[in-house]
Amino acid sequence: MTVTKKISLVVPFYNEGGGVHSFARSIAAILAAIHGYDFEIICIDDGSKDTTLQELMQVRSLDPRFTVLELSRNFGKEAAMTAGIDYADGDAVIPIDADLQDPPELIKTMIAHWEQGAEVVLAKRVDRSSDSYLKRKTAALFYRFHNTLSGVKIPENVGDFRLMDRVVVKALRQLPERQRFMKGLFAWVGFKTVTVEYKREAREIGITKFSGWKLWNFALEGITSFSTTPLKIMTYVGAMGTLVTACYALYIVIRTLVHGVDVPGYASLLVAILFTGSLQLVGIGILGEYIGRIYMESKQRPVYVVRKRYADGDDSGGQLRYSDNE
């Protein structure tokens, strides 16, 4: 007897009111053309303040394949995605954004590669013309900078949209980080990977929730999560500064012995003090980023709290996420 495989779609939602039904119709049309599989669509309401939850409940009442996780507050996209992955029980899991910039038409191709033996199928954007010029350039800079510093290489122009086999999902669930940079965690677990390319379209619903400041903090999170190179750089800079200072001090001593006391030099002394002080502050700031991460991780708080889970035959709440959840 052949057992039908199950595919889980994981979709974080945050203030997507007015676009939930559009997303549901698009997904339903795509899945209707894929035969031989059972599908579940896990929608995570990440503390939305608009009508997102109500619209998700309406969609769930019309289509039993939809499961809704209501988080107790806004925990952020990484936590919401983690919640969806934890609750997914499919043989393969596909995270996808609700804005439909990542084409759901690609799901069929992903499944085909998976059936051929791939454990991870990445969706790579080959055309990001729908994004602003600044966003494209800063994204390219981030990938280049991160992959230079870190031993864990993140595929360039690959977002969260991908297919992961059950074995990959189990590996992800073993990672205990509370502050999660999912792109890095996806890359860290590895496994046999295939890449498919697509052109990124403009958003069909809503507006981006990532401001420039949030993107900067997100990049900082990624770099400090997977590399200690910034600390090493400051060590080398400090060593070079010490060496230069020692050489300059020796030069001053010799010049004073030969030519006597030279009163002028206030400007150069002020510049040296300000430069050294600024360098120390930068070093302390970098050190503080890592100490802050240690502090947050040491609390061992759950990544998210589920207020309620809405699914056929199982409406439960108060769920916490722990690293050994299976």
Side-chain angles (χ1 to χ4, degrees), residues 313-324:
D314 182 14
D315 288 3
S316 57
Q319 303 295 317
L320 305 183
R321 191 271 179 183
Y322 296 95
S323 59
D324 57 353

Side-chain angles (χ1 to χ4, degrees), residues 9 19-34 41 59 63 65-66 96-107 204-205:
L9 271 62
V20 175
H21 289 281
S22 174
F23 169 83
R25 285 193 297 269
S26 297
I27 286 294
I30 296 300
L31 300 187
I34 304 175
I41 303 122
V59 167
D63 191 337
R65 294 175 299 180
F66 280 81
I96 185 172
D97 290 342
D99 57 21
L100 297 178
Q101 278 191 286
D102 300 321
E105 294 84 0
L106 213 58
I107 292 175
E204 291 192 17
I205 58 174

Side-chain angles (χ1 to χ4, degrees), residues 101-103 106 122-131 136 140 143 155-159 161 195-201:
Q101 278 191 286
D102 300 321
L106 213 58
L122 304 178
K124 181 177 181 179
R125 303 163 229 170
V126 294
D127 185 346
R128 299 187 61 167
S129 56
S130 60
D131 294 332
R136 294 197 303 270
Y143 285 118
E156 190 168 350
N157 290 323
V158 173
F161 187 37
T195 301
V196 295
E197 298 181 343
Y198 73 97
K199 178 181 177 181
R200 186 166 196 172
E201 302 294 342

Side-chain angles (χ1 to χ4, degrees), residues 72-88:
S72 62
R73 63 171 177 84
N74 177 239
F75 286 87
K77 183 183 177 182
E78 307 297 282
M81 194 186 313
T82 299
I85 291 173
D86 285 346
Y87 277 83

